Amino acid sequence: MSLVILISGRGSNMQAILEAGVPVSAVISNRPDAAGLEIAARHGVKTAVVEHRSFADRESFDAALARQIDLHAPVAVALAGFMRILTPGFVARYAGRLVNIHPSLLPAYTGLDTHGRALAAGVKLHGCTVHFVTAELDHGPIIAQAAVPVLQGDTPDSLAARVLAQEHVVYPRALRWLLAGRLRIVDGRVRLDGATGADAALVSPDDD
Ligand code: GRF
């Protein structure tokens, strides 16, 4: 009953998942220089690199990635700062057990530069979302969200740091639910079995 985590870089979400004690059988990166690989190794977790540059197209990269993942027969696959768009075939192969964390309150701000775009729009709340992955980028059923206030004088970096601290709380929590079999997708929405109150919404005021 464990996870495979896919990363491309820093790996702070991966680290939070490992430190929360969520069972992880392997961490796979598409970049050999991803800092997260070393962190995973320090935690005694197996690592592998499937370099996207070595493949002619997305289909062959995704096929190699799936082979590497399936060696570990994971219950679920967690994207944690994995910066590749996955093919519909890959997404279908792991349907219902492929999850991602995105640094915005979806459906707002899909894609990149979410913090800069939130600041430009003048929103007062921003946050992060754990969601099931579907073929459409950053659009799958929402498992959990955490919100933070946007403060006067915030920069994209200060806002990103406030959101990231919440990512590190909400992602391990959502993955525990997934591994415990508590999540069901009903009519495109996520049901959490045994939920009490606002379990899947974490609002974290920050009085910086
Ligand atoms: C996080 O902000 C995550 O929401 C986004 O990419 C970033 C990855 O950071 N998908 P890290 O590698 O987990 O530190």
Side-chain angles (χ1 to χ4, degrees), residues 7-15 79-83 100-104 114-115 128-129 160 163-164 167-168:
I7 63 168
S8 295
R10 181 174 61 177
S12 72
N13 274 291
M14 174 212 75
Q15 184 170 0
L79 309 180
F82 185 69
M83 299 302 286
N100 181 43
I101 187 151
H102 181 75
S104 77
T114 55
H115 308 302
C128 58
T129 303
V163 171
L164 189 66
E167 294 184 32
H168 296 166

mmCIF file with all atom_site columns, all heavy atoms in Angstrom, residues 7-15 79-83 100-104 114-115 128-129 160 163-164 167-168, ligand 1:
data_model
loop_
_atom_site.group_PDB
_atom_site.id
_atom_site.type_symbol
_atom_site.label_atom_id
_atom_site.label_alt_id
_atom_site.label_comp_id
_atom_site.label_asym_id
_atom_site.label_entity_id
_atom_site.label_seq_id
_atom_site.pdbx_PDB_ins_code
_atom_site.Cartn_x
_atom_site.Cartn_y
_atom_site.Cartn_z
_atom_site.occupancy
_atom_site.B_iso_or_equiv
_atom_site.pdbx_formal_charge
_atom_site.auth_seq_id
_atom_site.auth_comp_id
_atom_site.auth_asym_id
_atom_site.auth_atom_id
_atom_site.pdbx_PDB_model_num
ATOM   1   N N   . ILE A 1 7   ? 8.846  13.722 -9.458  1.00 0.00 ? 7   ILE A N   1
ATOM   2   C CA  . ILE A 1 7   ? 9.327  15.086 -9.229  1.00 0.00 ? 7   ILE A CA  1
ATOM   3   C C   . ILE A 1 7   ? 10.123 15.574 -10.445 1.00 0.00 ? 7   ILE A C   1
ATOM   4   O O   . ILE A 1 7   ? 10.513 14.769 -11.296 1.00 0.00 ? 7   ILE A O   1
ATOM   5   C CB  . ILE A 1 7   ? 10.230 15.182 -7.969  1.00 0.00 ? 7   ILE A CB  1
ATOM   6   C CG1 . ILE A 1 7   ? 11.507 14.338 -8.144  1.00 0.00 ? 7   ILE A CG1 1
ATOM   7   C CG2 . ILE A 1 7   ? 9.483  14.767 -6.718  1.00 0.00 ? 7   ILE A CG2 1
ATOM   8   C CD1 . ILE A 1 7   ? 12.574 14.603 -7.097  1.00 0.00 ? 7   ILE A CD1 1
ATOM   9   N N   . SER A 1 8   ? 10.379 16.891 -10.453 1.00 0.00 ? 8   SER A N   1
ATOM   10  C CA  . SER A 1 8   ? 11.286 17.448 -11.457 1.00 0.00 ? 8   SER A CA  1
ATOM   11  C C   . SER A 1 8   ? 12.358 18.333 -10.822 1.00 0.00 ? 8   SER A C   1
ATOM   12  O O   . SER A 1 8   ? 13.299 18.723 -11.518 1.00 0.00 ? 8   SER A O   1
ATOM   13  C CB  . SER A 1 8   ? 10.524 18.309 -12.469 1.00 0.00 ? 8   SER A CB  1
ATOM   14  O OG  . SER A 1 8   ? 9.624  17.543 -13.217 1.00 0.00 ? 8   SER A OG  1
ATOM   15  N N   . GLY A 1 9   ? 12.182 18.719 -9.550  1.00 0.00 ? 9   GLY A N   1
ATOM   16  C CA  . GLY A 1 9   ? 13.104 19.721 -9.005  1.00 0.00 ? 9   GLY A CA  1
ATOM   17  C C   . GLY A 1 9   ? 13.320 19.617 -7.523  1.00 0.00 ? 9   GLY A C   1
ATOM   18  O O   . GLY A 1 9   ? 13.700 18.566 -7.005  1.00 0.00 ? 9   GLY A O   1
ATOM   19  N N   . ARG A 1 10  ? 13.030 20.744 -6.856  1.00 0.00 ? 10  ARG A N   1
ATOM   20  C CA  . ARG A 1 10  ? 13.313 20.957 -5.437  1.00 0.00 ? 10  ARG A CA  1
ATOM   21  C C   . ARG A 1 10  ? 12.829 19.833 -4.524  1.00 0.00 ? 10  ARG A C   1
ATOM   22  O O   . ARG A 1 10  ? 13.506 19.436 -3.589  1.00 0.00 ? 10  ARG A O   1
ATOM   23  C CB  . ARG A 1 10  ? 12.606 22.272 -5.095  1.00 0.00 ? 10  ARG A CB  1
ATOM   24  C CG  . ARG A 1 10  ? 12.716 22.768 -3.734  1.00 0.00 ? 10  ARG A CG  1
ATOM   25  C CD  . ARG A 1 10  ? 12.071 24.134 -3.667  1.00 0.00 ? 10  ARG A CD  1
ATOM   26  N NE  . ARG A 1 10  ? 10.635 24.096 -4.020  1.00 0.00 ? 10  ARG A NE  1
ATOM   27  C CZ  . ARG A 1 10  ? 9.841  25.153 -3.975  1.00 0.00 ? 10  ARG A CZ  1
ATOM   28  N NH1 . ARG A 1 10  ? 10.320 26.325 -3.627  1.00 0.00 ? 10  ARG A NH1 1
ATOM   29  N NH2 . ARG A 1 10  ? 8.566  25.048 -4.281  1.00 0.00 ? 10  ARG A NH2 1
ATOM   30  N N   . GLY A 1 11  ? 11.606 19.374 -4.723  1.00 0.00 ? 11  GLY A N   1
ATOM   31  C CA  . GLY A 1 11  ? 11.108 18.235 -3.952  1.00 0.00 ? 11  GLY A CA  1
ATOM   32  C C   . GLY A 1 11  ? 10.660 18.545 -2.537  1.00 0.00 ? 11  GLY A C   1
ATOM   33  O O   . GLY A 1 11  ? 10.650 17.658 -1.682  1.00 0.00 ? 11  GLY A O   1
ATOM   34  N N   . SER A 1 12  ? 10.221 19.784 -2.283  1.00 0.00 ? 12  SER A N   1
ATOM   35  C CA  . SER A 1 12  ? 9.814  20.079 -0.903  1.00 0.00 ? 12  SER A CA  1
ATOM   36  C C   . SER A 1 12  ? 8.489  19.389 -0.555  1.00 0.00 ? 12  SER A C   1
ATOM   37  O O   . SER A 1 12  ? 8.287  18.963 0.589   1.00 0.00 ? 12  SER A O   1
ATOM   38  C CB  . SER A 1 12  ? 9.745  21.583 -0.650  1.00 0.00 ? 12  SER A CB  1
ATOM   39  O OG  . SER A 1 12  ? 8.642  22.160 -1.295  1.00 0.00 ? 12  SER A OG  1
ATOM   40  N N   . ASN A 1 13  ? 7.590  19.267 -1.518  1.00 0.00 ? 13  ASN A N   1
ATOM   41  C CA  . ASN A 1 13  ? 6.349  18.527 -1.234  1.00 0.00 ? 13  ASN A CA  1
ATOM   42  C C   . ASN A 1 13  ? 6.658  17.055 -0.990  1.00 0.00 ? 13  ASN A C   1
ATOM   43  O O   . ASN A 1 13  ? 6.100  16.440 -0.078  1.00 0.00 ? 13  ASN A O   1
ATOM   44  C CB  . ASN A 1 13  ? 5.346  18.699 -2.382  1.00 0.00 ? 13  ASN A CB  1
ATOM   45  C CG  . ASN A 1 13  ? 4.521  19.956 -2.221  1.00 0.00 ? 13  ASN A CG  1
ATOM   46  O OD1 . ASN A 1 13  ? 3.693  20.039 -1.322  1.00 0.00 ? 13  ASN A OD1 1
ATOM   47  N ND2 . ASN A 1 13  ? 4.781  20.950 -3.052  1.00 0.00 ? 13  ASN A ND2 1
ATOM   48  N N   . MET A 1 14  ? 7.522  16.494 -1.840  1.00 0.00 ? 14  MET A N   1
ATOM   49  C CA  . MET A 1 14  ? 7.945  15.106 -1.642  1.00 0.00 ? 14  MET A CA  1
ATOM   50  C C   . MET A 1 14  ? 8.509  14.912 -0.242  1.00 0.00 ? 14  MET A C   1
ATOM   51  O O   . MET A 1 14  ? 8.178  13.956 0.462   1.00 0.00 ? 14  MET A O   1
ATOM   52  C CB  . MET A 1 14  ? 8.995  14.766 -2.708  1.00 0.00 ? 14  MET A CB  1
ATOM   53  C CG  . MET A 1 14  ? 9.638  13.417 -2.545  1.00 0.00 ? 14  MET A CG  1
ATOM   54  S SD  . MET A 1 14  ? 11.347 13.467 -3.133  1.00 0.00 ? 14  MET A SD  1
ATOM   55  C CE  . MET A 1 14  ? 12.132 14.362 -1.796  1.00 0.00 ? 14  MET A CE  1
ATOM   56  N N   . GLN A 1 15  ? 9.362  15.852 0.182   1.00 0.00 ? 15  GLN A N   1
ATOM   57  C CA  . GLN A 1 15  ? 9.970  15.767 1.514   1.00 0.00 ? 15  GLN A CA  1
ATOM   58  C C   . GLN A 1 15  ? 8.892  15.808 2.603   1.00 0.00 ? 15  GLN A C   1
ATOM   59  O O   . GLN A 1 15  ? 8.938  15.038 3.573   1.00 0.00 ? 15  GLN A O   1
ATOM   60  C CB  . GLN A 1 15  ? 10.947 16.930 1.701   1.00 0.00 ? 15  GLN A CB  1
ATOM   61  C CG  . GLN A 1 15  ? 11.693 16.878 3.014   1.00 0.00 ? 15  GLN A CG  1
ATOM   62  C CD  . GLN A 1 15  ? 12.827 17.892 3.079   1.00 0.00 ? 15  GLN A CD  1
ATOM   63  O OE1 . GLN A 1 15  ? 13.064 18.655 2.131   1.00 0.00 ? 15  GLN A OE1 1
ATOM   64  N NE2 . GLN A 1 15  ? 13.535 17.905 4.176   1.00 0.00 ? 15  GLN A NE2 1
ATOM   65  N N   . LEU A 1 79  ? 2.107  13.344 -8.229  1.00 0.00 ? 79  LEU A N   1
ATOM   66  C CA  . LEU A 1 79  ? 2.957  14.320 -8.906  1.00 0.00 ? 79  LEU A CA  1
ATOM   67  C C   . LEU A 1 79  ? 3.287  15.408 -7.886  1.00 0.00 ? 79  LEU A C   1
ATOM   68  O O   . LEU A 1 79  ? 2.380  15.963 -7.258  1.00 0.00 ? 79  LEU A O   1
ATOM   69  C CB  . LEU A 1 79  ? 2.225  14.938 -10.103 1.00 0.00 ? 79  LEU A CB  1
ATOM   70  C CG  . LEU A 1 79  ? 1.579  13.959 -11.100 1.00 0.00 ? 79  LEU A CG  1
ATOM   71  C CD1 . LEU A 1 79  ? 0.909  14.753 -12.224 1.00 0.00 ? 79  LEU A CD1 1
ATOM   72  C CD2 . LEU A 1 79  ? 2.610  12.998 -11.662 1.00 0.00 ? 79  LEU A CD2 1
ATOM   73  N N   . ALA A 1 80  ? 4.559  15.709 -7.730  1.00 0.00 ? 80  ALA A N   1
ATOM   74  C CA  . ALA A 1 80  ? 4.956  16.723 -6.742  1.00 0.00 ? 80  ALA A CA  1
ATOM   75  C C   . ALA A 1 80  ? 5.997  17.633 -7.405  1.00 0.00 ? 80  ALA A C   1
ATOM   76  O O   . ALA A 1 80  ? 7.194  17.387 -7.325  1.00 0.00 ? 80  ALA A O   1
ATOM   77  C CB  . ALA A 1 80  ? 5.514  16.051 -5.492  1.00 0.00 ? 80  ALA A CB  1
ATOM   78  N N   . GLY A 1 81  ? 5.473  18.637 -8.110  1.00 0.00 ? 81  GLY A N   1
ATOM   79  C CA  . GLY A 1 81  ? 6.368  19.499 -8.871  1.00 0.00 ? 81  GLY A CA  1
ATOM   80  C C   . GLY A 1 81  ? 6.929  18.786 -10.080 1.00 0.00 ? 81  GLY A C   1
ATOM   81  O O   . GLY A 1 81  ? 8.072  19.009 -10.476 1.00 0.00 ? 81  GLY A O   1
ATOM   82  N N   . PHE A 1 82  ? 6.127  17.914 -10.676 1.00 0.00 ? 82  PHE A N   1
ATOM   83  C CA  . PHE A 1 82  ? 6.543  17.184 -11.886 1.00 0.00 ? 82  PHE A CA  1
ATOM   84  C C   . PHE A 1 82  ? 6.128  18.023 -13.092 1.00 0.00 ? 82  PHE A C   1
ATOM   85  O O   . PHE A 1 82  ? 4.931  18.241 -13.318 1.00 0.00 ? 82  PHE A O   1
ATOM   86  C CB  . PHE A 1 82  ? 5.873  15.805 -11.921 1.00 0.00 ? 82  PHE A CB  1
ATOM   87  C CG  . PHE A 1 82  ? 6.336  14.943 -13.060 1.00 0.00 ? 82  PHE A CG  1
ATOM   88  C CD1 . PHE A 1 82  ? 7.633  14.445 -13.087 1.00 0.00 ? 82  PHE A CD1 1
ATOM   89  C CD2 . PHE A 1 82  ? 5.487  14.621 -14.108 1.00 0.00 ? 82  PHE A CD2 1
ATOM   90  C CE1 . PHE A 1 82  ? 8.071  13.649 -14.134 1.00 0.00 ? 82  PHE A CE1 1
ATOM   91  C CE2 . PHE A 1 82  ? 5.902  13.835 -15.154 1.00 0.00 ? 82  PHE A CE2 1
ATOM   92  C CZ  . PHE A 1 82  ? 7.202  13.343 -15.166 1.00 0.00 ? 82  PHE A CZ  1
ATOM   93  N N   . MET A 1 83  ? 7.132  18.535 -13.815 1.00 0.00 ? 83  MET A N   1
ATOM   94  C CA  . MET A 1 83  ? 6.879  19.588 -14.795 1.00 0.00 ? 83  MET A CA  1
ATOM   95  C C   . MET A 1 83  ? 6.761  19.068 -16.228 1.00 0.00 ? 83  MET A C   1
ATOM   96  O O   . MET A 1 83  ? 7.272  19.677 -17.160 1.00 0.00 ? 83  MET A O   1
ATOM   97  C CB  . MET A 1 83  ? 7.989  20.645 -14.712 1.00 0.00 ? 83  MET A CB  1
ATOM   98  C CG  . MET A 1 83  ? 8.096  21.327 -13.363 1.00 0.00 ? 83  MET A CG  1
ATOM   99  S SD  . MET A 1 83  ? 6.564  22.148 -12.866 1.00 0.00 ? 83  MET A SD  1
ATOM   100 C CE  . MET A 1 83  ? 6.620  23.566 -13.965 1.00 0.00 ? 83  MET A CE  1
ATOM   101 N N   . ASN A 1 100 ? -2.200 15.256 -8.085  1.00 0.00 ? 100 ASN A N   1
ATOM   102 C CA  . ASN A 1 100 ? -1.271 16.367 -8.266  1.00 0.00 ? 100 ASN A CA  1
ATOM   103 C C   . ASN A 1 100 ? -1.562 17.423 -7.213  1.00 0.00 ? 100 ASN A C   1
ATOM   104 O O   . ASN A 1 100 ? -2.684 17.517 -6.700  1.00 0.00 ? 100 ASN A O   1
ATOM   105 C CB  . ASN A 1 100 ? -1.478 16.965 -9.668  1.00 0.00 ? 100 ASN A CB  1
ATOM   106 C CG  . ASN A 1 100 ? -0.526 18.107 -9.952  1.00 0.00 ? 100 ASN A CG  1
ATOM   107 O OD1 . ASN A 1 100 ? 0.669  18.033 -9.646  1.00 0.00 ? 100 ASN A OD1 1
ATOM   108 N ND2 . ASN A 1 100 ? -1.037 19.177 -10.554 1.00 0.00 ? 100 ASN A ND2 1
ATOM   109 N N   . ILE A 1 101 ? -0.551 18.249 -6.930  1.00 0.00 ? 101 ILE A N   1
ATOM   110 C CA  . ILE A 1 101 ? -0.806 19.464 -6.149  1.00 0.00 ? 101 ILE A CA  1
ATOM   111 C C   . ILE A 1 101 ? -0.511 20.659 -7.030  1.00 0.00 ? 101 ILE A C   1
ATOM   112 O O   . ILE A 1 101 ? 0.503  20.694 -7.740  1.00 0.00 ? 101 ILE A O   1
ATOM   113 C CB  . ILE A 1 101 ? 0.000  19.510 -4.834  1.00 0.00 ? 101 ILE A CB  1
ATOM   114 C CG1 . ILE A 1 101 ? -0.457 20.718 -4.004  1.00 0.00 ? 101 ILE A CG1 1
ATOM   115 C CG2 . ILE A 1 101 ? 1.508  19.521 -5.074  1.00 0.00 ? 101 ILE A CG2 1
ATOM   116 C CD1 . ILE A 1 101 ? -0.321 20.546 -2.526  1.00 0.00 ? 101 ILE A CD1 1
ATOM   117 N N   . HIS A 1 102 ? -1.452 21.610 -7.003  1.00 0.00 ? 102 HIS A N   1
ATOM   118 C CA  . HIS A 1 102 ? -1.325 22.798 -7.855  1.00 0.00 ? 102 HIS A CA  1
ATOM   119 C C   . HIS A 1 102 ? -1.380 24.037 -6.958  1.00 0.00 ? 102 HIS A C   1
ATOM   120 O O   . HIS A 1 102 ? -2.231 24.120 -6.062  1.00 0.00 ? 102 HIS A O   1
ATOM   121 C CB  . HIS A 1 102 ? -2.470 22.822 -8.883  1.00 0.00 ? 102 HIS A CB  1
ATOM   122 C CG  . HIS A 1 102 ? -2.379 23.993 -9.805  1.00 0.00 ? 102 HIS A CG  1
ATOM   123 N ND1 . HIS A 1 102 ? -1.458 24.040 -10.834 1.00 0.00 ? 102 HIS A ND1 1
ATOM   124 C CD2 . HIS A 1 102 ? -3.050 25.165 -9.835  1.00 0.00 ? 102 HIS A CD2 1
ATOM   125 C CE1 . HIS A 1 102 ? -1.589 25.202 -11.466 1.00 0.00 ? 102 HIS A CE1 1
ATOM   126 N NE2 . HIS A 1 102 ? -2.543 25.902 -10.882 1.00 0.00 ? 102 HIS A NE2 1
ATOM   127 N N   . PRO A 1 103 ? -0.507 25.022 -7.217  1.00 0.00 ? 103 PRO A N   1
ATOM   128 C CA  . PRO A 1 103 ? -0.443 26.172 -6.313  1.00 0.00 ? 103 PRO A CA  1
ATOM   129 C C   . PRO A 1 103 ? -1.461 27.265 -6.629  1.00 0.00 ? 103 PRO A C   1
ATOM   130 O O   . PRO A 1 103 ? -1.097 28.419 -6.871  1.00 0.00 ? 103 PRO A O   1
ATOM   131 C CB  . PRO A 1 103 ? 1.000  26.662 -6.492  1.00 0.00 ? 103 PRO A CB  1
ATOM   132 C CG  . PRO A 1 103 ? 1.345  26.290 -7.889  1.00 0.00 ? 103 PRO A CG  1
ATOM   133 C CD  . PRO A 1 103 ? 0.579  25.031 -8.198  1.00 0.00 ? 103 PRO A CD  1
ATOM   134 N N   . SER A 1 104 ? -2.725 26.895 -6.610  1.00 0.00 ? 104 SER A N   1
ATOM   135 C CA  . SER A 1 104 ? -3.809 27.889 -6.680  1.00 0.00 ? 104 SER A CA  1
ATOM   136 C C   . SER A 1 104 ? -5.075 27.216 -6.174  1.00 0.00 ? 104 SER A C   1
ATOM   137 O O   . SER A 1 104 ? -5.123 25.989 -6.027  1.00 0.00 ? 104 SER A O   1
ATOM   138 C CB  . SER A 1 104 ? -4.043 28.384 -8.115  1.00 0.00 ? 104 SER A CB  1
ATOM   139 O OG  . SER A 1 104 ? -4.764 27.428 -8.863  1.00 0.00 ? 104 SER A OG  1
ATOM   140 N N   . THR A 1 114 ? 1.099  31.147 -11.092 1.00 0.00 ? 114 THR A N   1
ATOM   141 C CA  . THR A 1 114 ? -0.182 31.311 -10.397 1.00 0.00 ? 114 THR A CA  1
ATOM   142 C C   . THR A 1 114 ? -0.129 32.447 -9.367  1.00 0.00 ? 114 THR A C   1
ATOM   143 O O   . THR A 1 114 ? -1.105 33.173 -9.198  1.00 0.00 ? 114 THR A O   1
ATOM   144 C CB  . THR A 1 114 ? -0.568 30.007 -9.677  1.00 0.00 ? 114 THR A CB  1
ATOM   145 O OG1 . THR A 1 114 ? 0.519  29.633 -8.826  1.00 0.00 ? 114 THR A OG1 1
ATOM   146 C CG2 . THR A 1 114 ? -0.829 28.891 -10.666 1.00 0.00 ? 114 THR A CG2 1
ATOM   147 N N   . HIS A 1 115 ? 1.017  32.597 -8.703  1.00 0.00 ? 115 HIS A N   1
ATOM   148 C CA  . HIS A 1 115 ? 1.095  33.599 -7.624  1.00 0.00 ? 115 HIS A CA  1
ATOM   149 C C   . HIS A 1 115 ? 1.101  35.014 -8.211  1.00 0.00 ? 115 HIS A C   1
ATOM   150 O O   . HIS A 1 115 ? 0.387  35.894 -7.715  1.00 0.00 ? 115 HIS A O   1
ATOM   151 C CB  . HIS A 1 115 ? 2.315  33.332 -6.749  1.00 0.00 ? 115 HIS A CB  1
ATOM   152 C CG  . HIS A 1 115 ? 2.388  31.918 -6.264  1.00 0.00 ? 115 HIS A CG  1
ATOM   153 N ND1 . HIS A 1 115 ? 1.378  31.343 -5.523  1.00 0.00 ? 115 HIS A ND1 1
ATOM   154 C CD2 . HIS A 1 115 ? 3.308  30.942 -6.454  1.00 0.00 ? 115 HIS A CD2 1
ATOM   155 C CE1 . HIS A 1 115 ? 1.688  30.078 -5.256  1.00 0.00 ? 115 HIS A CE1 1
ATOM   156 N NE2 . HIS A 1 115 ? 2.858  29.812 -5.825  1.00 0.00 ? 115 HIS A NE2 1
ATOM   157 N N   . CYS A 1 128 ? -3.840 26.454 -2.457  1.00 0.00 ? 128 CYS A N   1
ATOM   158 C CA  . CYS A 1 128 ? -3.377 25.296 -3.224  1.00 0.00 ? 128 CYS A CA  1
ATOM   159 C C   . CYS A 1 128 ? -4.468 24.235 -3.249  1.00 0.00 ? 128 CYS A C   1
ATOM   160 O O   . CYS A 1 128 ? -5.390 24.247 -2.430  1.00 0.00 ? 128 CYS A O   1
ATOM   161 C CB  . CYS A 1 128 ? -2.096 24.735 -2.621  1.00 0.00 ? 128 CYS A CB  1
ATOM   162 S SG  . CYS A 1 128 ? -2.263 24.239 -0.904  1.00 0.00 ? 128 CYS A SG  1
ATOM   163 N N   . THR A 1 129 ? -4.331 23.335 -4.210  1.00 0.00 ? 129 THR A N   1
ATOM   164 C CA  . THR A 1 129 ? -5.355 22.319 -4.451  1.00 0.00 ? 129 THR A CA  1
ATOM   165 C C   . THR A 1 129 ? -4.694 20.968 -4.714  1.00 0.00 ? 129 THR A C   1
ATOM   166 O O   . THR A 1 129 ? -3.782 20.879 -5.541  1.00 0.00 ? 129 THR A O   1
ATOM   167 C CB  . THR A 1 129 ? -6.193 22.682 -5.701  1.00 0.00 ? 129 THR A CB  1
ATOM   168 O OG1 . THR A 1 129 ? -6.781 23.971 -5.521  1.00 0.00 ? 129 THR A OG1 1
ATOM   169 C CG2 . THR A 1 129 ? -7.276 21.650 -5.973  1.00 0.00 ? 129 THR A CG2 1
ATOM   170 N N   . ALA A 1 160 ? 4.081  32.826 -2.623  1.00 0.00 ? 160 ALA A N   1
ATOM   171 C CA  . ALA A 1 160 ? 4.402  31.421 -2.908  1.00 0.00 ? 160 ALA A CA  1
ATOM   172 C C   . ALA A 1 160 ? 4.843  30.703 -1.637  1.00 0.00 ? 160 ALA A C   1
ATOM   173 O O   . ALA A 1 160 ? 4.455  29.550 -1.401  1.00 0.00 ? 160 ALA A O   1
ATOM   174 C CB  . ALA A 1 160 ? 5.510  31.345 -3.961  1.00 0.00 ? 160 ALA A CB  1
ATOM   175 N N   . VAL A 1 163 ? 1.841  29.929 0.536   1.00 0.00 ? 163 VAL A N   1
ATOM   176 C CA  . VAL A 1 163 ? 1.062  28.827 -0.043  1.00 0.00 ? 163 VAL A CA  1
ATOM   177 C C   . VAL A 1 163 ? 1.808  27.495 0.144   1.00 0.00 ? 163 VAL A C   1
ATOM   178 O O   . VAL A 1 163 ? 1.212  26.479 0.521   1.00 0.00 ? 163 VAL A O   1
ATOM   179 C CB  . VAL A 1 163 ? 0.777  29.079 -1.542  1.00 0.00 ? 163 VAL A CB  1
ATOM   180 C CG1 . VAL A 1 163 ? 0.159  27.843 -2.196  1.00 0.00 ? 163 VAL A CG1 1
ATOM   181 C CG2 . VAL A 1 163 ? -0.145 30.294 -1.715  1.00 0.00 ? 163 VAL A CG2 1
ATOM   182 N N   . LEU A 1 164 ? 3.122  27.531 -0.095  1.00 0.00 ? 164 LEU A N   1
ATOM   183 C CA  . LEU A 1 164 ? 3.900  26.282 -0.035  1.00 0.00 ? 164 LEU A CA  1
ATOM   184 C C   . LEU A 1 164 ? 3.819  25.640 1.347   1.00 0.00 ? 164 LEU A C   1
ATOM   185 O O   . LEU A 1 164 ? 3.720  24.407 1.466   1.00 0.00 ? 164 LEU A O   1
ATOM   186 C CB  . LEU A 1 164 ? 5.367  26.561 -0.411  1.00 0.00 ? 164 LEU A CB  1
ATOM   187 C CG  . LEU A 1 164 ? 6.244  25.322 -0.600  1.00 0.00 ? 164 LEU A CG  1
ATOM   188 C CD1 . LEU A 1 164 ? 5.791  24.498 -1.823  1.00 0.00 ? 164 LEU A CD1 1
ATOM   189 C CD2 . LEU A 1 164 ? 7.719  25.720 -0.772  1.00 0.00 ? 164 LEU A CD2 1
ATOM   190 N N   . GLU A 1 167 ? 0.806  23.719 1.283   1.00 0.00 ? 167 GLU A N   1
ATOM   191 C CA  . GLU A 1 167 ? 0.928  22.532 0.422   1.00 0.00 ? 167 GLU A CA  1
ATOM   192 C C   . GLU A 1 167 ? 1.491  21.369 1.235   1.00 0.00 ? 167 GLU A C   1
ATOM   193 O O   . GLU A 1 167 ? 1.051  20.220 1.108   1.00 0.00 ? 167 GLU A O   1
ATOM   194 C CB  . GLU A 1 167 ? 1.864  22.828 -0.767  1.00 0.00 ? 167 GLU A CB  1
ATOM   195 C CG  . GLU A 1 167 ? 1.326  23.865 -1.726  1.00 0.00 ? 167 GLU A CG  1
ATOM   196 C CD  . GLU A 1 167 ? 2.231  24.073 -2.935  1.00 0.00 ? 167 GLU A CD  1
ATOM   197 O OE1 . GLU A 1 167 ? 2.885  23.117 -3.381  1.00 0.00 ? 167 GLU A OE1 1
ATOM   198 O OE2 . GLU A 1 167 ? 2.269  25.212 -3.444  1.00 0.00 ? 167 GLU A OE2 1
ATOM   199 N N   . HIS A 1 168 ? 2.471  21.713 2.091   1.00 0.00 ? 168 HIS A N   1
ATOM   200 C CA  . HIS A 1 168 ? 3.157  20.666 2.858   1.00 0.00 ? 168 HIS A CA  1
ATOM   201 C C   . HIS A 1 168 ? 2.253  20.035 3.916   1.00 0.00 ? 168 HIS A C   1
ATOM   202 O O   . HIS A 1 168 ? 2.544  18.962 4.418   1.00 0.00 ? 168 HIS A O   1
ATOM   203 C CB  . HIS A 1 168 ? 4.416  21.254 3.503   1.00 0.00 ? 168 HIS A CB  1
ATOM   204 C CG  . HIS A 1 168 ? 5.426  21.710 2.497   1.00 0.00 ? 168 HIS A CG  1
ATOM   205 N ND1 . HIS A 1 168 ? 6.500  22.503 2.797   1.00 0.00 ? 168 HIS A ND1 1
ATOM   206 C CD2 . HIS A 1 168 ? 5.502  21.473 1.157   1.00 0.00 ? 168 HIS A CD2 1
ATOM   207 C CE1 . HIS A 1 168 ? 7.202  22.742 1.703   1.00 0.00 ? 168 HIS A CE1 1
ATOM   208 N NE2 . HIS A 1 168 ? 6.613  22.131 0.694   1.00 0.00 ? 168 HIS A NE2 1
HETATM 209 C C1  . GRF B 2 .   ? 4.791  23.436 -5.866  1.00 0.00 ? 1   GRF B C1  1
HETATM 210 O O1  . GRF B 2 .   ? 4.430  24.787 -5.742  1.00 0.00 ? 1   GRF B O1  1
HETATM 211 C C2  . GRF B 2 .   ? 3.639  22.655 -6.437  1.00 0.00 ? 1   GRF B C2  1
HETATM 212 O O2  . GRF B 2 .   ? 2.390  23.149 -6.061  1.00 0.00 ? 1   GRF B O2  1
HETATM 213 C C3  . GRF B 2 .   ? 3.831  22.838 -7.912  1.00 0.00 ? 1   GRF B C3  1
HETATM 214 O O3  . GRF B 2 .   ? 5.220  22.849 -8.117  1.00 0.00 ? 1   GRF B O3  1
HETATM 215 C C4  . GRF B 2 .   ? 5.870  23.241 -6.929  1.00 0.00 ? 1   GRF B C4  1
HETATM 216 C C5  . GRF B 2 .   ? 6.800  22.137 -6.577  1.00 0.00 ? 1   GRF B C5  1
HETATM 217 O O4  . GRF B 2 .   ? 7.626  22.444 -5.484  1.00 0.00 ? 1   GRF B O4  1
HETATM 218 N N1  . GRF B 2 .   ? 3.126  21.797 -8.640  1.00 0.00 ? 1   GRF B N1  1
HETATM 219 P P1  . GRF B 2 .   ? 8.460  21.282 -4.771  1.00 0.00 ? 1   GRF B P1  1
HETATM 220 O O5  . GRF B 2 .   ? 9.333  20.651 -5.838  1.00 0.00 ? 1   GRF B O5  1
HETATM 221 O O6  . GRF B 2 .   ? 7.494  20.321 -4.176  1.00 0.00 ? 1   GRF B O6  1
HETATM 222 O O7  . GRF B 2 .   ? 9.294  22.003 -3.745  1.00 0.00 ? 1   GRF B O7  1
#
